[in-house]
Amino acid sequence: MGALIIIVEIVYFILCLGLIAVVLLQKGKAAGLSGAIGGAAETYWGKNKARSMEGKLEKFTRVGAILFIVLSVVLSLLIKYQ
């Protein structure tokens, strides 16, 4: 049981670092005044957002957050019932 906890902790740590990196690579949602003026360009890029790097980063963030929550619960249960 101890080896399983160590393995899950290592995966959890790597996931945390990856999630931090992905979140820091994303652009902010508030583009300020330039975002209000350039709203017309957003309609074109909004359609192709899933294929862009920003869309992939959002997808990785979603998947990473779900894995983070699941691993947190699993790790707490493993430690509790050790």
Side-chain angles (χ1 to χ4, degrees), residues 2-3 5 21 48 64 82:
I5 292 175
N48 296 323
Q82 184 178 8

Side-chain angles (χ1 to χ4, degrees), residues 44-58:
Y44 173 73
W45 294 110
K47 293 178 184 176
N48 296 323
K49 190 172 186 178
R51 291 188 222 160
S52 69
M53 185 62 149
E54 187 69 25
K56 290 177 184 171
L57 287 175
E58 286 182 14

Side-chain angles (χ1 to χ4, degrees), residues 13-41:
F13 182 72
I14 292 170
L15 178 67
C16 289
L17 292 178
L19 195 55
I20 290 169
V22 168
V23 168
L24 288 176
L25 286 173
Q26 291 182 10
K27 288 184 183 177
K29 294 292 180 187
L33 186 58
S34 64
I37 295 171

